[in-house]
Amino acid sequence: KRSGRPRGGSWGKSARLVVTGAEGHRLHEEIIQAGGYVKHGQLEQLGVAALKDALAFPAGDPVDQATASKLLTLHPNLVPGLDRALRSRSTDRASSLRDTIEVRLREEQERSKAVMLELQRHIEDVLTVEKQLSFDDPQDQYRLDREHLRHRLTTIPQTIEQESANLARRFREPEARMFPIAVEYLFPAALVGK
């Protein structure tokens, strides 16, 4: 039971929306809500902003037993409308996330490339400095270390390409999955017990 608006009874359903890539990696996750007002035993779907406003009213006491019984008898008739509203919200939200996921892919590819280019600069800096040998540092080890660094330097461009391709594969074919969580009944205090 809630005080203030909404004037009529409203119902909301929440679900967990998970977007995964082609290999099953989770790319995005959030809680979504959908719902509407009950008019003449049917659900009239609310938009996202209107539902958010309806859910923003402070909760009051639980409904009385008579109202709870009425809700239980009305619920089966409203389930199809609630499910449609939630599927529609899920589809809309997943569609709007496609651009966000594309941006995230490009950002991760750029971050990966920046790390590898930083490694490349560091190796180049190390190779330009001649080391003074000490008694504990045999010449052969120094030469082997430098050869290894030169070889690693030649593999960096390929590593950048491989990592970019791996990220693209992980983000490929995003698919939204919805896991319903709860149904919430919202009735103003004036309607309770009628």
Side-chain angles (χ1 to χ4, degrees):
K1 175 169 78 169
R2 296 191 179 213
S3 57
R5 286 185 46 210
R7 287 192 311 262
S10 62
W11 298 56
K13 191 168 183 178
S14 300
R16 188 172 136 231
L17 178 68
V18 179
V19 180
T20 58
E23 296 179 344
H25 287 89
R26 184 174 40 207
L27 305 175
H28 183 83
E29 182 174 349
E30 69 180 72
I31 301 297
I32 60 170
Q33 295 175 315
Y37 289 118
V38 178
K39 287 191 178 180
H40 308 294
Q42 298 294 315
L43 185 74
E44 186 177 299
Q45 189 172 340
L46 287 174
V48 175
L51 181 63
K52 185 176 178 181
D53 288 346
L55 294 174
F57 289 97
D61 297 326
V63 296
D64 58 52
Q65 189 60 41
T67 303
S69 294
K70 287 179 189 177
L71 292 175
L72 288 174
T73 59
L74 187 56
H75 181 76
N77 298 331
L78 298 175
V79 167
L82 281 169
D83 286 344
R84 272 192 308 277
L86 197 55
R87 277 194 309 276
S88 175
R89 175 68 183 126
S90 173
T91 300
D92 290 348
R93 184 63 182 132
S95 179
S96 71
L97 284 170
R98 292 199 196 291
D99 288 341
T100 302
I101 289 169
E102 279 294 320
V103 167
R104 193 173 300 147
L105 166 61
R106 288 191 298 275
E107 287 172 349
E108 287 198 29
Q109 287 172 324
E110 286 302 314
R111 258 192 306 274
S112 173
K113 183 178 179 179
V115 167
M116 294 310 298
L117 291 176
E118 183 179 340
L119 175 62
Q120 181 179 6
R121 283 188 296 278
H122 180 70
I123 291 172
E124 289 168 345
D125 289 346
V126 167
L127 290 175
T128 59
V129 175
E130 285 298 321
K131 183 175 180 190
Q132 301 230 351
L133 294 176
S134 68
F135 292 110
D136 320 359
D137 193 12
Q139 178 70 29
D140 286 343
Q141 185 61 50
Y142 176 70
R143 184 183 51 74
L144 288 173
D145 290 348
R146 293 181 66 81
E147 284 176 13
H148 175 75
L149 288 173
R150 281 190 203 94
H151 174 72
R152 182 65 180 113
L153 198 57
T154 65
T155 65
I156 288 176
Q158 180 183 0
T159 302
I160 291 171
E161 287 180 27
Q162 279 180 323
E163 188 58 26
S164 181
N166 288 343
L167 286 166
R169 191 171 40 255
R170 192 174 112 203
F171 278 76
R172 188 181 69 229
E173 300 171 17
E175 181 180 346
R177 291 178 174 83
M178 182 182 60
F179 303 94
I181 298 172
V183 174
E184 185 176 11
Y185 310 100
L186 311 173
F187 282 84
L191 288 182
V192 177
K194 289 189 176 184

